[in-house]
Amino acid sequence: MKVRLVRIAAIVCLCAGLLPAAPAQAALDSCDAGYSSPTLEPGGTGTFTFVMTNNNPNPIAWVQMTRPSDSNLTLKSGSTSGFITSVATETVTFSQGNLRRGRSQGFNVVATANRPGHLGSWVVQASDDPNGADPITCTGDMSVTVGHPSDITISNVAVGDVGQTQATITWDTDVASDSQVAYGLDGAYGSQSALDSALVTSHSVTVSGLVANTAYHFAVTSATPADGGTATSGDNTFLTDAPVPPAPPPVTGGGGTTSDGGVTKVLPGHTPRGTVAIKTAPTETTPPTVALVTSLAKPFSQEPAISGLAHDDVAVARVDYSLDGGRSWVVVPNPPGLGGKSVSFSFTPPRLDDGNYSLVVRAADTSGNVAQTEPVALVIDRQPPAVGAALVSFGPQVESVDAAGQLESVAGLDQTISLNAVGGPVSIMVEAAKAGSAQPSHSFALRQDPASGLWTGVLAFDQAGTYQLRANAVDGAGNRVVRELAAVAVRGAGVVAADTSKASIGAAKLTVYYRQAATGAWLVWDGPAYGEVNPLRTRGDGSFSLVLPAGTYYLKAEAEGYKTEVTREFTLDATTPVTPRLALTKRTVWRIGNWSWMLPGLALAPASVNVAPRTATATASLVGKPLPAFAVAGTGGTLLTPVNLRGKPAVITILSSWAPVSAEQLPALADLRGKGSVNVVPLYVGERVGRVTATLARGGYNLTAYTDDTAALIPELPQPNLPTHIFVSSAGIVTGTYTGVLTPAGLQARIK
């Protein structure tokens, strides 16, 4: 087994910090190096060669190589010309040399590898001081691997059992390997789980200590320590659960308690119809017993009749059931034997949507003592899960599609995706596969809001490219449905770098200014109102991620030791990623003897920010074809089919009751309907008629809307990013589609 040869043409590194106004010891701004690694077997000895090139005014007088920190390399010797060489356990140092500007020189280090695997990376430092004062560190891939590492493939990354403070992350590998998860609030992570050294192909790691209602990024890593094989997934995300609203305080009055403290006690003196009165003054403290007889182990296509038994030493006063784990209760009226010691109860829940329900039954005796069953899952399953309309946004900035029909994003910036679904899914993962690959590179776990039923998650991409999104939904019966969503074109992040060495500048300050339309005054843009930071700091690699709404802007970039850069103004017509490369010029350093100081400066020639134009349009496979067969219910009790639309042009607009962008579109649809020359069909996918009727009534819209409450049309329609318009001729042929909000004139123009 052999080591992989690693070569880099140039490694550029910057001096950390600025030169102080004090005696100058070292004045290197950057160093260039080339590196080659020998082919090594475990126990073999080889020569590592570092080629230094000096592009600084001052000579390089000192160079030091530090072996990989996690390695088991034994350093043997070092050699070069014109330097004094010394070898220690961790380092080989070359001092008292004179590598002048524009010249290159090789530095050789001989070492023995004592074990296989990936051994880490060398650290190379240089200084113009003969004794190594104020060295600068070169960065780059100077890694060492002994032996042939295993090729590991990671797949099926998923998140389950998400709570307020913990989540369980699972994945598969094709090679038995260990398990570890890096996680944090962004792609830099910052925390990691303890290494699970068990070599397995099915991995599961639980991370804890999380914050409720928070988005987390994570990446999984699996390695084979024996031979140095390792693989790390792309960046993935999940949302922790929001805090549960506190339950109503328990009502006391019974003398007894259940084993869990009697948190479900019932109100004494309050006697709902079909129950027996509970004494105000309890006469005993022994709780009743209650048990289910009906097995709920399998899914049901209809609400089942659920039966059970309750018993008490004195008398059973009432039986209740809950479908939400005990937060709300429904009385079982007049079960046989009520008021006696034994009760045989049976009830059928009212009409339930597909989904998983947490069923609990409780019984109370006449002294108010209460017992309840353990929660058990009641699964209603009539149809497979189906994903409906989707909305993607940067904070409050709603994302539209570009000229190619793709969503746009920028590396390093989070987007929120929200969608509705029917069929009772218990989990939805959105996976992203890079163009040309069938294997997902990112997985984003969505969380359902119990109140609205919406599923929400975070999309995040660490590399530029085009990614195809697909939703993977699973319901309580184990049915799995994969739905293709939109493609996402991810732009590379913006960069702040030095104009000469091209080295990136970390922690540079970038401020966005916008022109106020009413006054023409330039103001600092209110980034937090749009879910972003302004001013922002570049990351360690000089990158930054920025998305701006429509408006006119300019940018100002600042960094210690560099002249401030101000860009020309630029105008955006829609929410757009802004990813320029800004080059800063070094400020001038004056030296007199041992003293130095730096002159302030402002770049004289403002830089341009070139932003690609965006057009909210899309192309669908429906164009040129008849509408697919459908029958959808209207808010006025009517039924709509494609035949009803014949005779005049039509526009079918996919909307939702939960997305503000849909409310923005409704006035234009109402205006078009008022003209009478076009069939206007607002279509709500995966929603009930009652909810849509209420939405239209609140806005006062004179519209009849239609609902595809089972999302049966989803496979036939273009991906319904909100809002999506489908234009149909009077003969029933689709003439075009468009994604984005349209004015009345815009609608009319596309109908023509």
Side-chain angles (χ1 to χ4, degrees):
M1 295 191 292
K2 306 295 183 183
V3 68
R4 294 174 177 172
L5 187 62
V6 180
R7 292 186 182 275
I8 55 176
I11 305 166
V12 183
C13 17
L14 295 178
C15 182
L18 294 174
L19 288 171
Q25 294 281 334
L28 294 187
D29 291 328
S30 64
C31 65
D32 294 336
Y35 169 70
S36 64
S37 177
T39 299
L40 286 178
E41 298 283 357
T45 299
T47 300
F48 298 84
T49 300
F50 305 82
V51 178
M52 305 292 294
T53 301
N54 187 8
N55 293 321
N56 300 274
N58 289 7
I60 293 177
W62 179 92
V63 176
Q64 185 178 81
M65 286 74 180
T66 302
R67 74 177 188 178
S69 59
D70 61 348
S71 79
N72 198 10
L73 281 181
T74 300
L75 303 182
K76 297 293 188 179
S77 63
S79 63
T80 192
S81 61
F83 285 75
I84 297 174
T85 304
S86 60
V87 180
T89 302
E90 302 286 341
T91 62
V92 177
T93 304
F94 304 90
S95 60
Q96 306 295 324
N98 185 25
L99 178 57
R100 294 195 298 273
R101 181 176 186 176
R103 296 195 176 184
S104 299
Q105 184 167 329
F107 296 80
N108 299 316
V109 176
V110 178
T112 299
N114 299 323
R115 64 173 171 82
H118 176 68
L119 307 185
S121 298
W122 291 92
V123 175
V124 179
Q125 294 179 297
S127 172
D128 67 346
D129 183 88
N131 297 310
D134 298 329
I136 60 174
T137 301
C138 300
T139 60
D141 183 9
M142 288 181 281
S143 59
V144 180
T145 301
V146 178
H148 181 70
S150 298
D151 292 327
I152 303 173
T153 300
I154 292 174
S155 60
N156 302 324
V157 178
V159 182
D161 297 328
V162 179
Q164 296 180 37
T165 61
Q166 68 177 34
T168 298
I169 298 166
T170 60
W171 68 97
D172 295 331
T173 55
D174 59 343
V175 175
S177 48
D178 59 24
S179 312
Q180 194 165 34
V181 175
Y183 61 96
L185 300 180
D186 54 33
Y189 308 123
S191 299
Q192 63 181 15
S193 65
L195 176 65
D196 184 346
S197 58
L199 302 183
V200 295
T201 55
S202 295
H203 305 258
S204 179
V205 172
T206 298
V207 294
S208 56
L210 308 179
V211 178
N213 199 30
T214 301
Y216 281 88
H217 292 244
F218 73 93
V220 304
T221 297
S222 289
T224 50
D227 63 7
T230 185
T232 300
S233 72
D235 189 35
N236 310 281
T237 64
F238 66 88
L239 287 167
T240 51
D241 283 349
V244 178
V251 179
T252 59
T257 63
T258 62
S259 59
D260 62 359
V263 294
T264 60
K265 286 186 176 181
V266 294
L267 180 67
H270 176 63
T271 310
R273 182 177 298 177
T275 69
V276 172
I278 294 175
K279 303 171 185 177
T280 303
T283 58
E284 49 92 17
T285 61
T286 303
T289 60
V290 60
L292 289 174
V293 173
T294 303
S295 172
L296 303 180
K298 64 178 184 179
F300 295 87
S301 59
Q302 299 294 330
E303 295 77 15
I306 299 170
S307 60
L309 301 171
H311 179 80
D312 187 70
D313 292 343
V314 178
V316 177
R318 61 187 287 171
V319 176
D320 308 293
Y321 72 90
S322 170
L323 293 173
D324 57 9
R327 295 192 59 78
S328 60
W329 297 91
V330 178
V331 172
V332 179
N334 297 310
L338 193 68
K341 293 185 177 182
S342 295
V343 170
S344 175
F345 61 84
S346 180
F347 61 89
T348 300
R351 169 77 182 184
L352 299 174
D353 290 332
D354 279 27
N356 285 28
Y357 299 85
S358 180
L359 174 67
V360 181
V361 178
R362 71 181 182 185
D365 64 17
T366 51
S367 288
N369 305 304
V370 178
Q372 69 180 43
T373 63
E374 291 294 324
V376 61
L378 168 62
V379 179
I380 304 298
D381 178 49
R382 300 183 184 88
Q383 68 171 88
V387 172
L391 186 71
V392 177
S393 61
F394 296 99
Q397 302 180 69
V398 175
E399 175 67 303
S400 58
V401 296
D402 64 14
Q406 301 170 332
L407 296 168
E408 282 198 319
S409 185
V410 58
L413 195 65
D414 291 353
Q415 291 173 282
T416 299
I417 181 170
S418 299
L419 51 83
N420 67 330
V422 296
V426 294
S427 72
I428 298 179
M429 295 285 295
V430 173
E431 299 172 334
K434 202 165 187 179
S437 173
Q439 180 68 31
S441 57
H442 302 72
S443 296
F444 314 115
L446 273 55
R447 182 191 71 193
Q448 187 177 29
D449 183 334
S452 66
L454 288 180
W455 291 81
T456 302
V458 173
L459 305 180
F461 300 92
D462 47 3
Q463 294 182 356
T466 300
Y467 299 82
Q468 177 63 48
L469 300 181
R470 62 172 180 256
N472 198 323
V474 181
D475 66 13
N479 300 308
R480 182 183 300 272
V481 174
V482 176
R483 161 70 167 148
E484 292 292 320
L485 303 178
V488 181
V490 180
R491 298 185 186 182
V495 175
V496 176
D499 63 348
T500 52
S501 66
K502 310 301 182 186
S504 58
I505 303 175
K509 179 182 176 182
L510 193 70
T511 307
V512 182
Y513 293 85
Y514 84 102
R515 187 169 61 198
Q516 194 176 54
T519 65
W522 288 98
L523 304 173
V524 175
W525 177 59
D526 185 13
Y530 293 87
E532 298 189 55
V533 176
N534 186 41
L536 58 84
R537 294 282 181 178
T538 59
R539 307 178 187 99
D541 60 358
S543 66
F544 64 90
S545 302
L546 182 64
V547 173
L548 297 176
T552 299
Y553 303 89
Y554 74 84
L555 310 178
K556 181 174 73 173
E558 305 167 85
E560 286 192 89
Y562 294 86
K563 295 180 181 180
T564 297
E565 179 77 41
V566 177
T567 72
R568 293 184 175 88
E569 67 179 65
F570 57 94
T571 299
L572 305 176
D573 296 325
T575 298
T576 306
V578 177
T579 58
R581 182 178 181 89
L582 302 177
L584 304 189
T585 303
K586 276 261 185 193
R587 288 161 62 185
T588 303
V589 179
W590 287 86
R591 298 177 184 274
I592 299 178
N594 290 330
W595 295 87
S596 66
W597 65 93
M598 190 169 291
L599 298 180
L602 178 70
L604 297 179
S608 297
V609 176
N610 297 318
V611 180
R614 306 190 64 214
T615 304
T617 184
T619 302
S621 59
L622 281 177
V623 175
K625 301 176 183 177
L627 279 173
F630 64 82
V632 291
T635 52
T638 58
L639 192 69
L640 179 70
T641 69
V643 174
N644 303 134
L645 299 178
R646 299 286 179 90
K648 58 182 178 180
V651 56
I652 301 172
T653 302
I654 301 171
L655 301 170
S656 75
S657 63
W658 47 268
V661 71
S662 293
E664 186 180 347
Q665 183 63 76
L666 282 171
L669 295 176
D671 179 85
L672 183 63
R673 180 187 182 278
K675 293 181 169 56
S677 58
V678 177
N679 287 317
V680 177
V681 182
L683 178 62
Y684 291 76
V685 177
E687 300 196 56
R688 301 286 189 192
V689 169
R691 184 169 185 170
V692 174
T693 300
T695 298
L696 298 179
R698 282 195 302 269
Y701 299 110
N702 182 23
L703 282 170
T704 298
Y706 297 86
T707 60
D708 174 21
D709 59 357
T710 64
L713 276 174
I714 281 292
E716 307 293 338
L717 299 176
Q719 166 54 33
N721 295 305
L722 296 171
T724 290
H725 311 272
I726 303 171
F727 298 96
V728 186
S729 72
S730 58
I733 303 300
V734 177
T735 59
T737 65
Y738 185 96
T739 297
V741 176
L742 285 173
T743 63
L747 287 167
Q748 193 71 54
R750 282 166 176 77
I751 290 168
K752 290 181 180 178

Coordinates of all heavy atoms in Angstrom, one line a residue, residues 302-307 321 323 330 332 346-352:
Q302 N -59.8 3.7 8.3 CA -60.9 4.4 8.9 C -60.7 4.4 10.4 O -60.0 3.6 11.0 CB -62.2 3.6 8.6 CG -62.6 3.5 7.1 CD -62.8 4.9 6.4 OE1 -63.3 5.8 7.1 NE2 -62.5 5.0 5.1
E303 N -61.4 5.4 11.0 CA -61.3 5.5 12.5 C -61.8 4.2 13.1 O -63.0 3.9 12.9 CB -62.0 6.7 12.9 CG -61.5 8.1 12.4 CD -61.8 8.4 11.0 OE1 -62.7 7.7 10.4 OE2 -61.2 9.3 10.4
P304 N -61.1 3.6 13.9 CA -61.5 2.3 14.5 C -62.4 2.6 15.8 O -62.3 3.6 16.4 CB -60.2 1.6 14.9 CG -59.3 2.7 15.2 CD -59.7 3.9 14.3
A305 N -63.2 1.6 16.1 CA -63.9 1.5 17.4 C -62.9 1.1 18.4 O -62.3 0.0 18.3 CB -65.1 0.6 17.3
I306 N -62.7 1.8 19.5 CA -61.7 1.5 20.5 C -62.4 1.2 21.8 O -63.2 2.0 22.3 CB -60.7 2.7 20.7 CG1 -60.0 3.1 19.4 CG2 -59.7 2.5 21.8 CD1 -59.2 4.4 19.4
S307 N -62.0 0.0 22.3 CA -62.7 -0.4 23.5 C -61.7 -0.7 24.6 O -60.5 -0.9 24.4 CB -63.6 -1.7 23.3 OG -62.7 -2.7 22.8
Y321 N -60.9 10.3 26.7 CA -59.8 9.9 25.9 C -59.2 11.2 25.3 O -59.8 12.2 25.1 CB -60.2 8.9 24.8 CG -61.0 9.5 23.7 CD1 -60.4 10.0 22.5 CD2 -62.4 9.5 23.7 CE1 -61.2 10.5 21.5 CE2 -63.2 10.0 22.7 CZ -62.6 10.5 21.6 OH -63.3 11.0 20.6
L323 N -56.4 12.5 22.0 CA -55.6 12.1 20.8 C -54.3 12.9 20.7 O -53.7 12.8 19.6 CB -56.5 12.3 19.6 CG -57.7 11.4 19.5 CD1 -58.6 11.8 18.3 CD2 -57.3 9.9 19.3
V330 N -61.7 14.3 25.6 CA -63.0 14.1 25.1 C -63.7 13.1 26.0 O -63.1 12.0 26.3 CB -63.1 13.6 23.7 CG1 -64.5 13.4 23.2 CG2 -62.4 14.6 22.7
V332 N -66.1 10.1 27.1 CA -66.8 8.9 26.6 C -68.2 8.9 27.3 O -68.2 8.6 28.5 CB -66.1 7.6 26.8 CG1 -66.9 6.4 26.2 CG2 -64.7 7.7 26.1
S346 N -66.4 2.0 25.0 CA -66.1 1.9 23.6 C -66.4 3.3 23.0 O -67.4 3.9 23.3 CB -66.9 0.8 22.9 OG -66.5 0.7 21.5
F347 N -65.5 3.7 22.1 CA -65.7 5.0 21.4 C -65.0 4.9 20.0 O -64.1 4.2 19.8 CB -65.1 6.2 22.2 CG -63.7 6.1 22.5 CD1 -62.7 6.6 21.6 CD2 -63.2 5.4 23.6 CE1 -61.4 6.5 21.8 CE2 -61.8 5.3 23.8 CZ -60.9 5.9 22.9
T348 N -65.5 5.7 19.1 CA -64.9 5.9 17.8 C -64.6 7.4 17.6 O -65.4 8.2 17.7 CB -65.9 5.5 16.7 OG1 -66.2 4.1 16.9 CG2 -65.2 5.6 15.3
P349 N -63.3 7.7 17.4 CA -62.9 9.1 17.2 C -63.6 9.7 16.0 O -64.0 9.0 15.1 CB -61.4 9.0 17.0 CG -61.0 7.7 17.6 CD -62.1 6.8 17.3
P350 N -63.8 11.0 16.0 CA -64.4 11.6 14.8 C -63.5 11.6 13.6 O -62.3 11.1 13.8 CB -64.6 13.1 15.3 CG -63.6 13.3 16.3 CD -63.5 12.0 17.0
R351 N -63.9 12.1 12.5 CA -63.1 12.0 11.3 C -61.7 12.6 11.5 O -61.5 13.7 12.0 CB -63.8 12.9 10.2 CG -63.0 13.1 8.9 CD -62.9 12.0 8.0 NE -62.1 12.2 6.9 CZ -61.9 11.4 5.9 NH1 -62.5 10.2 5.9 NH2 -61.1 11.7 4.8
L352 N -60.7 11.8 11.2 CA -59.3 12.2 11.4 C -58.6 12.2 10.0 O -58.8 11.4 9.2 CB -58.6 11.2 12.3 CG -59.1 11.1 13.7 CD1 -58.4 9.9 14.5 CD2 -59.0 12.4 14.5

